[in-house]
Amino acid sequence: TPVPAPTSDNHPRPIETDWGRRAFLARAGVLGLAAAAPPALFAAPARAATTDDALEALLAWLRPQLQRLSADTFGGVAAFCYPGPDAFSLRQLEVRREAGGIATRTPQFLMDTLDGYIPLPDSIVIPLLTDGTRQLGALPRPLPYVVTRAGLRRAQRLDEALTIVLENDEHLPASIVVALLLNVTAAVLVPASLLRLGFNSPFARLRYAEKARVFADLESDEPTVVKVLRPIVGDFLADELRGLVHYLAMALLALPSDGMYSEQSAYDRATKRLVRRPIGWDQTNYLPGRTTPPDGHAELLGYYQGRTEVEG
């Protein structure tokens, strides 16, 4: 089954083949979510008038599921950067005795940072990244039986709902799109990830060296997702996407240190106080015995030597 042809110079045609639809959903980690969904969500409406209600019910179920899928995905990222004695580290076969990124709530920190502080121009870059991920996920490469086993109607309904979320949600969290990119790239580079049990996220199922392979691809001169999309969108937009993918890969490897060694996991925003001694403080031997941060050095409090103004 070939990759669908573009409908315009800038945007590829949405995946229409049954194979491509199910392949993308499986590689993105979304198809596995359907197994736990109530069967009624995928049943054909009895009357045409109930079609919209049925779709809204599916959307209401899907959105929080995508958040959970993202949490699994970024759990895999946090364990890759800072392994610990947690399930994500065990899955990648790289474990450490001391607490790691999972214990410091680094996955949620990554999601919050991507959604609230990483500037991604939604009108151009997010659709481009989404299209590239969907095209990559639909590639006709060997896939396990999970793709053909999934019911066609269930895949169609799920893909319809996912398309609405990705293309029409006014405030689509960037973390969801980045998680889909990581999962699709992981499943394309390491097809065996779709056969492993455990997390819904294919990226979170990877071994440690396999995760490094994913990031090596995202940081390469021509990431796989860009290579797939370049003939469809042209060099200008492909180069824009390549710059974004490189930026995201760098951010995903740098930001976990902020989640791991800052006070974010022990900070209560309501009271603006630490509720416990941060794990990162213990691991770096910072302020031994203290549970509160210092207010600053005495010589830096107030005005230096009592001065209140400076003459030019």
Side-chain angles (χ1 to χ4, degrees), residues 36-82:
L41 289 175
F42 301 99
R47 299 184 306 276
T50 64
T51 300
D52 290 343
D53 291 340
L55 182 58
E56 283 299 322
L58 181 56
L59 288 170
W61 171 84
L62 178 61
R63 289 188 177 99
Q65 296 300 321
L66 289 175
Q67 292 283 0
R68 295 187 184 96
L69 175 63
S70 295
D72 268 8
T73 306
F74 291 110
V77 174
F80 174 68
C81 294
Y82 295 99

Side-chain angles (χ1 to χ4, degrees), residues 281-298:
W281 287 15
D282 289 331
Q283 295 191 358
T284 58
N285 199 31
Y286 178 68
L287 298 176
R290 290 194 61 152
T291 57
T292 58
D295 292 328
H297 296 289

Side-chain angles (χ1 to χ4, degrees), residues 55-240:
L55 182 58
E56 283 299 322
L58 181 56
L59 288 170
W61 171 84
L62 178 61
R63 289 188 177 99
Q65 296 300 321
L66 289 175
Q67 292 283 0
R68 295 187 184 96
L69 175 63
S70 295
D72 268 8
T73 306
F74 291 110
V77 174
F80 174 68
C81 294
Y82 295 99
D86 52 83
F88 290 92
S89 300
L90 288 170
R91 171 59 65 184
Q92 68 182 10
L93 303 181
E94 181 70 28
V95 181
R96 294 180 182 174
R97 182 176 301 174
E98 65 270 17
I102 300 301
T104 54
R105 297 174 55 200
T106 297
Q108 188 62 51
F109 171 80
L110 290 174
M111 294 171 65
D112 291 343
T113 303
L114 285 171
D115 294 340
Y117 301 101
I118 299 296
L120 297 179
D122 293 351
S123 61
I124 299 176
V125 177
I126 289 294
L128 185 63
L129 182 60
T130 302
D131 286 341
T133 301
R134 290 175 70 86
Q135 294 296 323
L136 175 61
L139 284 179
R141 297 183 179 182
L143 285 172
Y145 179 62
V146 66
V147 174
T148 56
R149 182 183 62 190
L152 176 57
R153 172 165 181 78
R154 180 169 291 215
Q156 289 173 331
R157 294 283 292 168
L158 193 57
D159 187 61
E160 179 184 0
L162 181 60
T163 299
I164 291 175
V165 171
L166 294 179
E167 297 181 1
N168 297 325
D169 272 20
E170 184 177 355
H171 300 292
L172 175 68
S175 58
I176 290 178
V177 180
V178 176
L180 294 180
L181 171 66
L182 286 172
N183 288 328
V184 168
T185 303
V188 168
L189 296 180
V190 188
S193 62
L194 295 177
L195 292 170
R196 297 170 185 167
L197 301 177
F199 307 107
N200 282 317
S201 162
F203 181 84
R205 299 188 195 125
L206 296 180
R207 308 291 188 255
Y208 190 83
E210 293 168 345
K211 291 179 179 179
R213 183 181 172 191
V214 169
F215 277 103
D217 178 87
L218 297 178
E219 293 183 312
S220 66
D221 290 340
E222 188 81 340
T224 302
V225 65
V226 178
K227 188 182 301 182
V228 169
L229 203 59
R230 185 176 292 277
I232 299 175
V233 303
D235 289 339
F236 177 78
L237 287 178
D239 289 343
E240 290 290 310

